[in-house]
Amino acid sequence: MAVPETGMTGALDVLRLEGIGLLQGIGETLADFGDDAGEDRQRLLDVARDLRDSFFLVTVVGEFNAGKSTFVNALLGEDLLPTGITPTTATIDIVLYSDTPRRSPSIRDDGLREWTHPGTGAPGVALVDTPGTGSVFRAHERLALEFLHRSDLVLFVISARRALAQAGRDYLELAQRYGKKIVIIVNQIDQLEPAEQAEVRRFVERQARELLDLEPMIFMVSARQDLEDGDAGQAGQEGMNALRAHLMSLIRHAPPAQQKLLAQLDLAERLTQGWLERTRQQMTSMQADRSRVDEVQVELEQQSRGLEAHLEETLGNSDQVFADLRLRGHRFLGQNLSLRNWGRARRQASLQEAFQEEVVGRSLQDLDQLGSAFVGVLLDQSRVYWRGVIERLQQLADLLDQEPGGLDASVYASQRESLQEALRLARSELEAGVGEAALDEIRSSGLTRINDLAASSLAALGGTLVTLLGVAAPGPVLGAGAAALALPAVVVGAPLALIASALTLRRYRRLESQTLEEFDARIRQMQEGFRDALKGVSNQERIRLTQYGQQVLVPVYSRMDALTLRDQDRLDVLQGHMEAIARLRQALQQG
């Protein structure tokens, strides 16, 4: 396949070195993506090595027994590579350009068998013969697939008798995915009649178009006829000559190194674009995840505000209970400490019983109902809330488990762990609840003081009444029961009696005022105790919400922010690579 020799100019060599550095730089960027990007990273490093050697790789692939090695020998013009009817080795043969052929291969460090021959087409052009697909040795196919991404031009050889079997279609689809230039070679057409050859060609064209959306160049050849140097007019040889002319036009179109660099820039662009899309998708998913966590955070705040509203409502109702208690107490004390009732004052036992029934009893019942209702609503809201938190977090965890395989699996490892911890804590909070413990606290902190009020107020009230009743001197001043000299005593003592009465009344008023003040002070003390008990329960629940947010949501947010910043950095670097690829391609095309 002799063509005029073409070399690299100094400017092209500079661009080639720039391309090598760019491919290596992209490879270093992909290393940050971990094992998921390992295969793509290795491809870039492989093609960077090929660029250093200035190879334009023409790779021959196809099914076993399609005559690939014979086809390569036909392109070279002599039987260089061994051929056989069975796969005897799992190696790849590479034929480099050289004016002097080397007919005994050397084994390279990467395991390839290396040959040299002037028939590759031009300096810098290499022909690669890969093991066949569909062979009994699966390792053959693996090696061929691993080498496919390094190719600049793919010559896909199929047998005229087995056109486009399933394994062949898979190879073509993979080559197309890699963005390779593809030429289909239908070999061994000497085994078909002319009418059959036309039918096979139509079948291959239709299959490539309908199944793979490809319209590649198709050449009908007989490599064996070409090697045997038979009648030049035979169809198989005409096909080989047409193929040689097509390959020479490709090589003449640009120096092999330039074609190589352009082809590998295409590969680098596709890989970089793929990771750009994956990073954008990852950032979109992360934003959606953050929105779901935001919903939990909003519910935390709403729950906290709901607790405050419920507390204020209950405190307002309890204030009314204490206001009514104060009003009834004042009325009771006014009635029983009045000077008008001295002559029919109740016995102390009767008075205490009346105070307990008329003043205290209803307040105990009302406050107990308020406390129980407060705890009941708090418990119900807590259960509904924590169940909602668990449901939302579980949905988020399920979504992470269902993330498509295209996303970086390692990204969400710590996120899943954080969510599992969040779920564990949420379930423990649900089980903890408030309930009887909170109600007992209200009773012990608030309602017990109501009982203390009854005892202390009754004692104080009894003492006050005894004191007040004792200020009056018993016995009449005039009449049969009057003492001797009573009248003179009255005449003499009248002024003194008036003075004593005034002092007694003043003392009574002071004692009455002190009793009311003491009663009001005790009411305030009870009211503050009850309010403190309600606020204590509410604060405990608010602290649970705050601690939950600090223990779980804050770390989740922190991890999401770190991942978002990391992904943004990756996005910026990948976009920079895309811009560098575009600039280098433009420089190559203009040169």
Side-chain angles (χ1 to χ4, degrees):
M1 193 169 57
V3 297
E5 183 175 324
T6 56
M8 293 178 58
T9 65
L12 184 57
D13 192 47
V14 171
L15 295 176
R16 180 178 65 87
L17 294 176
E18 183 180 343
I20 292 171
L22 177 57
L23 291 170
Q24 291 174 334
I26 299 173
E28 292 175 1
T29 298
L30 295 188
D32 186 47
F33 285 83
D35 294 340
D36 287 351
E39 183 179 349
D40 288 346
R41 178 173 179 270
Q42 190 58 49
R43 291 177 190 170
L44 292 170
L45 296 179
D46 288 342
V47 299
R49 182 180 62 184
D50 291 340
L51 280 177
R52 283 196 301 270
D53 298 332
S54 303
F55 285 162
F56 180 74
L57 297 180
V58 180
T59 302
V60 180
V61 298
E63 291 189 313
F64 165 70
N65 233 3
K68 291 189 288 73
S69 297
T70 302
F71 170 74
V72 173
N73 287 337
L75 284 178
L76 296 174
E78 67 169 296
D79 284 315
L80 181 71
L81 303 182
T83 60
I85 61 173
T86 59
T88 58
T89 180
T91 61
I92 292 177
D93 292 304
I94 181 168
V95 184
L96 308 180
Y97 178 86
S98 175
D99 293 333
T100 303
R102 185 171 67 240
R103 295 183 174 85
S104 296
S106 61
I107 306 301
R108 302 189 347 174
D109 292 340
D110 56 6
L112 273 65
R113 291 195 303 189
E114 182 179 295
W115 314 70
T116 61
H117 199 277
T120 63
V125 177
L127 293 177
V128 180
D129 183 19
T130 64
T133 67
S135 71
V136 294
F137 298 126
R138 295 296 98 182
H140 288 187
E141 291 191 31
R142 180 180 56 80
L143 286 172
L145 289 173
E146 289 176 355
F147 203 85
L148 185 60
H149 71 270
R150 300 169 61 181
S151 305
D152 303 293
L153 175 65
V154 176
L155 302 182
F156 190 78
V157 180
I158 59 178
S159 172
R161 293 249 177 225
R162 300 183 67 252
L164 279 185
Q166 180 61 48
R169 291 200 296 270
D170 292 343
Y171 249 68
L172 279 177
E173 185 177 359
L174 186 60
Q176 181 192 32
R177 189 187 312 163
Y178 287 164
K180 304 302 180 181
K181 295 178 181 179
I182 300 172
V183 175
I184 293 181
I185 312 297
V186 181
N187 193 19
Q188 301 170 341
I189 66 170
D190 56 300
Q191 300 179 18
L192 302 179
E193 298 295 330
E196 292 176 318
Q197 295 175 14
E199 182 179 353
V200 167
R201 183 185 185 92
R202 287 192 298 271
F203 173 79
V204 172
E205 289 175 342
R206 184 171 65 253
Q207 290 285 293
R209 181 175 58 254
E210 295 178 358
L211 298 180
L212 302 171
D213 194 26
L214 284 174
E215 292 189 4
M217 295 286 292
I218 298 176
F219 293 91
M220 310 288 290
V221 307
S222 173
R224 184 182 60 82
Q225 285 182 344
D226 190 78
L227 275 174
E228 292 175 353
D229 198 18
D231 185 0
Q234 290 182 324
Q237 288 181 283
E238 291 178 354
M240 286 297 300
N241 290 333
L243 173 62
R244 291 188 183 95
H246 177 68
L247 295 178
M248 285 190 293
S249 68
L250 291 178
I251 295 173
R252 285 197 183 101
H253 179 70
Q258 182 183 18
Q259 285 190 312
K260 174 74 174 183
L261 183 52
L262 285 171
Q264 303 307 2
L265 284 179
D266 290 342
L267 171 65
E269 183 178 46
R270 279 188 300 277
L271 295 180
T272 304
Q273 184 63 41
W275 285 99
L276 263 175
E277 293 303 322
R278 291 177 65 167
T279 303
R280 291 191 182 104
Q281 182 183 0
Q282 199 159 273
M283 294 181 70
T284 300
S285 298
M286 186 66 66
Q287 185 59 46
D289 295 342
R290 187 185 180 95
S291 297
R292 295 184 184 95
V293 178
D294 285 342
E295 291 175 1
V296 177
Q297 181 66 29
V298 168
E299 288 195 6
L300 280 171
E301 297 169 357
Q302 290 175 344
Q303 180 75 356
S304 181
R305 288 194 296 268
L307 291 176
E308 189 66 28
H310 180 43
L311 174 64
E312 291 301 321
E313 179 183 0
T314 304
L315 288 177
N317 293 332
S318 68
D319 288 345
Q320 186 60 51
V321 172
F322 284 109
D324 293 342
L325 174 62
R326 182 181 294 105
L327 181 62
R328 291 195 303 273
H330 277 236
R331 184 166 58 246
F332 181 89
L333 294 174
Q335 292 173 353
N336 287 277
L337 294 181
S338 172
L339 290 173
R340 295 189 302 271
N341 295 330
W342 274 17
R344 49 189 178 89
R346 303 179 183 179
R347 289 179 303 139
Q348 185 170 344
S350 175
L351 192 65
Q352 291 176 346
E353 182 180 347
F355 183 85
Q356 182 71 34
E357 178 180 351
E358 296 176 22
V359 179
V360 178
R362 290 171 53 187
S363 299
L364 282 172
Q365 182 180 4
D366 292 345
L367 291 175
D368 187 68
Q369 290 177 350
L370 281 175
S372 298
F374 177 77
V375 172
V377 172
L378 199 65
L379 179 60
D380 290 341
Q381 289 182 348
S382 177
R383 286 171 177 167
V384 171
Y385 167 72
W386 288 113
R387 287 190 184 116
V389 169
I390 290 172
E391 180 180 357
R392 288 186 182 278
L393 292 177
Q394 188 61 58
Q395 289 174 352
L396 179 55
D398 292 342
L399 284 172
L400 291 183
D401 290 336
Q402 297 169 6
E403 289 292 352
L407 287 178
D408 184 354
S410 63
V411 167
Y412 289 111
S414 60
Q415 189 65 16
R416 289 189 181 94
E417 183 178 349
S418 297
L419 284 171
Q420 292 304 319
E421 176 65 10
L423 284 166
R424 186 190 66 77
L425 289 175
R427 291 189 179 102
S428 67
E429 295 294 342
L430 175 61
E431 293 172 358
V434 283
E436 291 299 323
L439 190 56
D440 289 342
E441 180 179 346
I442 291 176
R443 285 171 176 157
S444 62
S445 300
L447 300 183
T448 300
R449 299 188 183 186
I450 301 294
N451 294 320
D452 294 342
L453 165 71
S456 60
S457 295
L458 288 173
L461 179 61
T464 300
L465 292 176
V466 170
T467 300
L468 292 176
L469 293 174
V471 301
V477 177
L478 297 174
L485 301 178
L487 182 61
V490 170
V491 174
V492 175
L496 296 176
L498 290 174
I499 294 172
S501 297
L503 293 174
T504 300
L505 181 61
R506 182 177 179 181
R507 181 184 178 190
Y508 171 82
R509 295 300 185 191
R510 186 170 63 251
L511 288 173
E512 181 184 34
S513 176
Q514 290 175 351
T515 301
L516 291 176
E517 289 177 1
E518 182 179 352
F519 179 80
D520 288 345
R522 293 181 183 275
I523 292 293
R524 287 193 296 272
Q525 182 182 10
M526 290 187 304
Q527 187 172 9
E528 291 172 0
F530 191 77
R531 291 175 67 91
D532 289 344
L534 293 179
K535 289 181 178 179
V537 173
S538 181
N539 286 336
Q540 286 179 6
E541 187 67 10
R542 190 177 293 106
I543 288 172
R544 290 175 67 201
L545 298 177
T546 302
Q547 289 178 340
Y548 180 80
Q550 291 175 345
Q551 291 176 4
V552 178
L553 296 185
V554 170
V556 170
Y557 274 123
S558 177
R559 178 60 179 161
M560 286 184 168
D561 289 342
L563 291 175
T564 299
L565 289 174
R566 185 205 64 180
D567 287 343
Q568 185 60 58
D569 289 342
R570 287 179 173 179
L571 201 66
D572 294 341
V573 173
L574 290 171
Q575 287 174 337
H577 289 323
M578 291 291 289
E579 294 170 0
I581 291 171
R583 289 194 299 269
L584 184 55
R585 178 185 289 111
Q586 183 178 14
L588 280 167
Q589 292 172 342
Q590 289 177 347

